[in-house]
Amino acid sequence: MPRPVTIRTVARMAGCSIATVSRVMNGTGPASVEAETRVRAAVAELGFRPSEIGRSLKTLRTRTLGVVIPSLTNPVFASSVAGIEAEARKHGHVLLVTATDYDPGRERELVDTLVAQSVAGLVMTVADPDSNPTLDHLDTAGIPYVLVYNEPQRSGRAAVTVDNAASGRTLTRAFIDKGHARILFVGGRFSSSDRSRLRYRGYALAMREAGLQAAPVLELDYLADVAAHRVALETLFAVQPCPSALICSNDLLALSIAAAVRDMGLRVPQDISVAGFDGISIGRLVSPSLCTIDQPTRLMGERAVQRLFELIACTGLRAVEHLPFRLRLGESIAAAPEDTGIGPLATLTA
Amino acid sequence: MPRPVTIRTVARMAGCSIATVSRVMNGTGPASVEAETRVRAAVAELGFRPSEIGRSLKTLRTRTLGVVIPSLTNPVFASSVAGIEAEARKHGHVLLVTATDYDPGRERELVDTLVAQSVAGLVMTVADPDSNPTLDHLDTAGIPYVLVYNEPQRSGRAAVTVDNAASGRTLTRAFIDKGHARILFVGGRFSSSDRSRLRYRGYALAMREAGLQAAPVLELDYLADVAAHRVALETLFAVQPCPSALICSNDLLALSIAAAVRDMGLRVPQDISVAGFDGISIGRLVSPSLCTIDQPTRLMGERAVQRLFELIACTGLRAVEHLPFRLRLGESIAAAPEDTGIGPLATLTA
DNA sequence: CTGTTAGCGCGTTCAT
DNA sequence: ATGAACGCGCTAACAG
């Protein structure tokens, strides 16, 4: 393998010392025009590019950022990573990307792996941003990180997110304004998503504000298939009146729930309205287009990297930054049908 | 920052030399039970983890793989990266992920960046796998890589893909079998995707075999929005009969085209059938569910990594490996409506 | 079985 | 303006 082209190779060809080569390449220190010319010629000829490893070992820091997310196959995370990658590249950094596959227990292992790679900092989306030993460890180790999507309630942790509770409230209000009363919140497992929890909280608040009774969340695995989701819905509807609206804790789940509803022979939105969160772009393409909370997903990734660099430069704040969200009504939401059923979900508390 | 815990710190605490620590950690060479115990205790106490940088500098290789793809926001690539990441992690490797944003000119720059990071190898999806200076460079530099999705026609390049031409033929036949004759192929820019080109080739072959005339591809930017796609379709249909079926070169484009068709007041599939390629999972959730060519996307990523490690170990073959695809009919394909229009697209050549 | 030592590729003093 | 020498964290070869 013809690959031993090091700084020494260049120095030899340019007829100078490695120090001069280093100075020319990094623009540090003085160098005669003549020497610089010869060095640049040699560099071009050899196609030399300094090894990041050698550089890192010396400077004790890398141009590498670590990324930890639950999964790449959820467009939401993929899109935030796209933003992270673009912004990192702008700053001459590369990304080490890892996924927990929704197993919070793997967070620590992945972080350790990335730390062993001497990453300059981390961008993460974790299951629980408040009570999290892994983040505690990063804090004490002094390794900078910024959370994305997570919304830590106690301060001291840098995060870029939207106000999830407020978005849940906004979305729920849209349904209430359209006359819905029997609104069910369908969520992914709370244990693996603080977003889901907070969005439910917003839902519950909006319901209470409207004098309606918030139903308990229907918690299910959002990665399961349509058939499983259908079974879950049918099981629930067997013991209580069918809701007129389903608010799902994310768009992928909403698409699956909508499919399950159709499988049950019901129409979306005429019989049941369905909505999600995240604003994945595919939601605009499907029919009926998905009612959702639009989020600047890619921008969130970019902002996270910007703030990470601020933290690295010790000019950053460890605070939660909220980016604006926007209600996208779409076609999967309709006015509530004539309300006939009376039952737990429909009980007016006022 | 309390972060100077090196192999020396451990040696000091364990009361031995750094060599012993290294031997214990790597399981290389002998070590007394007593020494090993003390070392392990110190390692646990300090939370020591050897720096990959130091190790790499010495061994001249890393446990890092580079990934170059067009974009993370296309579920197809995201899903293959998910497979790549999982398989790499199994082998104790991490991933440096970069995206060209569909700009082939950026391939070289990204590869250089990754090579400067001394990646052990690369997994890539490029615009043109045959005439590609960047790949030539990797070949001469002796840096192992495996292509995913790309299907190099001339040999000498390792790739994991499906038979794109065959899949195009299979999908087109399905339409012909359902009585379609006016079938239009809608493709992303050929210049940025050999898959698109090869799928069109399969389409053209199937048409010819059936005695039908293959229409020229309608080439458009698959990242454009629905409105732009609608304009493109309307412009074309203004000068020639409306086709009864649209075969799109990938699923994301197919979803957008289906939306555009609906915007035009036509029904899918009653008025026009629509199909795509790739088998993205969301295609199963939408209504009508998407007719597509199912591909083992994630598996392709995993296989690519397996083969990359074979190449690194010099036991691998630089050949194209085809994984099986499967026609998924879905609901977006229907029997051809009564054929009334006669025009360029409908001309029978037989 | 263990400690000492020589680099790996680079940036950075310190002399010159 | 330039070069020699050192050390970053680690592994491996060798000496003991």
Side-chain angles (χ1 to χ4, degrees):
Chain A
M1 331 208 173
R3 177 69 186 122
V5 48
T6 124
I7 196 174
R8 256 176 286 271
T9 324
V10 178
R12 212 174 306 133
M13 175 175 286
C16 66
S17 75
I18 63 169
T20 302
V21 176
S22 175
R23 275 190 284 260
V24 168
M25 299 234 48
N26 298 300
T28 128
S32 70
V33 187
E34 187 186 337
E36 174 162 350
T37 312
R38 289 205 315 275
V39 168
R40 295 218 180 281
V43 165
E45 165 118 18
L46 294 167
F48 171 71
R49 177 119 176 215
S51 155
E52 283 293 331
I53 302 211
R55 181 203 302 267
S56 300
L57 189 51
K58 180 61 191 173
T59 62
L60 287 188
R61 57 197 161 135
T62 63
R63 293 173 182 171
T64 298
L65 303 183
V67 173
V68 179
I69 52 171
S71 162
L72 274 165
T73 50
N74 186 331
V76 162
F77 299 126
S79 142
S80 78
V81 174
I84 294 169
E85 198 265 342
E87 189 68 19
R89 194 167 54 209
K90 244 192 232 171
H91 295 251
H93 284 239
V94 286
L95 245 49
L96 283 170
V97 178
T98 61
T100 65
D101 291 328
Y102 294 96
D103 177 1
R106 208 135 59 185
E107 284 169 11
R108 179 57 192 266
E109 180 192 337
L110 293 181
V111 165
D112 283 346
T113 300
L114 295 176
V115 169
Q117 300 279 350
S118 308
V119 291
L122 292 159
V123 180
M124 320 176 56
T125 298
V126 299
D128 183 345
D130 282 309
S131 170
N132 191 309
T134 303
L135 297 183
D136 294 342
H137 171 246
L138 289 175
D139 288 334
T140 61
I143 297 169
Y145 64 91
V146 177
L147 301 171
V148 175
Y149 288 119
N150 291 127
E151 206 176 346
Q153 301 299 297
R154 75 160 202 245
S155 60
R157 285 187 170 146
V160 177
T161 177
V162 298
D163 188 329
N164 283 295
S167 73
R169 188 164 164 236
T170 298
L171 184 55
T172 307
R173 268 196 198 156
F175 279 90
I176 294 171
D177 289 348
K178 284 196 179 291
H180 290 270
R182 302 191 317 279
I183 307 171
L184 179 65
F185 190 94
V186 184
R189 302 283 172 203
F190 277 5
S191 64
S192 65
S193 168
D194 62 325
R195 300 175 296 295
S196 191
R197 282 195 299 275
L198 291 167
R199 288 162 180 176
Y200 176 77
R201 188 184 296 176
Y203 152 81
L205 176 60
M207 292 295 274
R208 209 162 41 240
E209 287 174 340
L212 297 168
Q213 185 178 332
V217 63
L218 172 59
E219 231 180 313
L220 37 77
D221 183 354
Y222 93 87
L223 295 177
D225 59 14
V226 174
H229 289 159
R230 176 179 173 173
V231 168
L233 290 180
E234 286 177 332
T235 305
L236 183 68
F237 296 171
V239 299
Q240 64 182 46
C242 183
S244 66
L246 300 173
I247 297 184
C248 307
S249 66
N250 68 63
D251 281 352
L252 230 40
L253 179 58
L255 291 176
S256 181
I257 290 294
V261 165
R262 279 191 296 265
D263 278 1
M264 292 164 62
L266 298 171
R267 295 162 303 166
V268 177
Q270 295 89 338
D271 298 315
I272 299 190
S273 293
V274 174
F277 292 82
D278 291 340
I280 64 176
S281 57
I282 288 180
R284 297 178 187 276
L285 301 180
V286 302
S287 173
S289 64
L290 189 59
C291 172
T292 187
I293 293 289
D294 224 332
Q295 302 182 356
T297 317
R298 189 188 167 99
L299 180 60
M300 282 164 64
E302 294 171 359
R303 269 304 289 157
V305 170
Q306 290 166 5
R307 293 194 52 203
L308 183 54
F309 281 122
E310 291 171 9
L311 282 180
I312 292 172
C314 294
T315 67
L317 260 52
R318 299 211 297 216
V320 177
E321 173 177 347
H322 286 109
L323 264 43
F325 62 85
R326 214 174 52 78
L327 173 67
R328 189 205 298 169
L329 276 176
E331 305 161 342
S332 67
I333 176 174
E338 187 79 4
D339 194 338
T340 54
I342 290 295
L345 278 172
T347 302
L348 294 175
T349 56
Chain B
M1 334 210 171
R3 176 71 184 121
V5 48
T6 121
I7 196 174
R8 258 175 283 271
T9 324
V10 178
R12 212 175 306 132
M13 175 175 286
C16 65
S17 75
I18 62 170
T20 303
V21 176
S22 175
R23 277 190 285 260
V24 169
M25 299 236 46
N26 298 300
T28 132
S32 70
V33 186
E34 188 186 337
E36 174 162 350
T37 312
R38 290 206 315 276
V39 168
R40 295 219 181 279
V43 165
E45 165 116 17
L46 294 168
F48 170 71
R49 176 116 176 216
S51 156
E52 283 293 332
I53 303 212
R55 182 201 304 265
S56 300
L57 188 52
K58 177 60 189 175
T59 62
L60 288 189
R61 56 198 161 137
T62 63
R63 293 173 181 170
T64 298
L65 303 182
V67 173
V68 179
I69 51 171
S71 162
L72 274 164
T73 50
N74 186 332
V76 162
F77 300 126
S79 144
S80 78
V81 174
I84 294 168
E85 197 265 342
E87 189 68 20
R89 193 168 54 209
K90 245 193 230 171
H91 295 251
H93 284 238
V94 286
L95 246 50
L96 283 171
V97 178
T98 60
T100 65
D101 291 328
Y102 294 96
D103 176 2
R106 207 134 61 183
E107 285 169 9
R108 179 57 191 265
E109 181 192 336
L110 294 181
V111 165
D112 283 347
T113 301
L114 294 176
V115 170
Q117 300 279 352
S118 308
V119 291
L122 292 159
V123 180
M124 319 177 57
T125 299
V126 299
D128 183 344
D130 282 309
S131 170
N132 191 311
T134 303
L135 297 184
D136 294 340
H137 170 247
L138 288 175
D139 287 334
T140 60
I143 297 169
Y145 64 91
V146 177
L147 301 171
V148 175
Y149 288 119
N150 292 127
E151 206 176 348
Q153 301 298 298
R154 76 160 201 245
S155 60
R157 285 188 169 146
V160 177
T161 177
V162 298
D163 188 330
N164 283 295
S167 73
R169 188 164 164 235
T170 298
L171 184 55
T172 306
R173 268 196 198 157
F175 279 91
I176 294 171
D177 288 348
K178 284 194 181 291
H180 290 271
R182 304 190 316 278
I183 307 171
L184 178 66
F185 191 94
V186 184
R189 302 285 171 201
F190 277 5
S191 64
S192 65
S193 169
D194 62 325
R195 299 174 296 294
S196 193
R197 282 195 299 274
L198 291 167
R199 288 162 180 175
Y200 176 77
R201 187 183 297 174
Y203 152 82
L205 175 60
M207 293 294 274
R208 210 162 41 242
E209 287 174 340
L212 297 168
Q213 186 179 332
V217 62
L218 172 59
E219 231 180 313
L220 35 77
D221 183 354
Y222 93 87
L223 296 177
D225 59 13
V226 174
H229 289 158
R230 175 180 173 171
V231 168
L233 290 179
E234 286 177 332
T235 305
L236 183 68
F237 297 171
V239 300
Q240 64 183 45
C242 183
S244 65
L246 299 174
I247 297 185
C248 307
S249 67
N250 68 62
D251 280 351
L252 230 41
L253 179 58
L255 290 176
S256 182
I257 290 294
V261 165
R262 279 190 295 264
D263 278 0
M264 292 163 63
L266 299 170
R267 294 163 304 166
V268 177
Q270 295 88 338
D271 297 317
I272 299 189
S273 293
V274 174
F277 292 83
D278 291 341
I280 65 176
S281 58
I282 288 180
R284 298 178 187 275
L285 302 180
V286 301
S287 172
S289 63
L290 189 59
C291 172
T292 187
I293 293 289
D294 223 332
Q295 302 180 358
T297 317
R298 190 188 167 99
L299 179 61
M300 282 163 66
E302 293 171 358
R303 269 302 289 156
V305 170
Q306 291 167 5
R307 292 193 55 202
L308 182 54
F309 281 123
E310 290 170 9
L311 282 179
I312 292 172
C314 294
T315 67
L317 259 53
R318 299 212 295 217
V320 177
E321 173 177 348
H322 286 108
L323 265 44
F325 61 85
R326 215 174 52 79
L327 173 66
R328 188 204 298 169
L329 277 176
E331 304 161 342
S332 68
I333 177 174
E338 187 77 5
D339 195 338
T340 53
I342 291 293
L345 278 172
T347 302
L348 294 176
T349 56

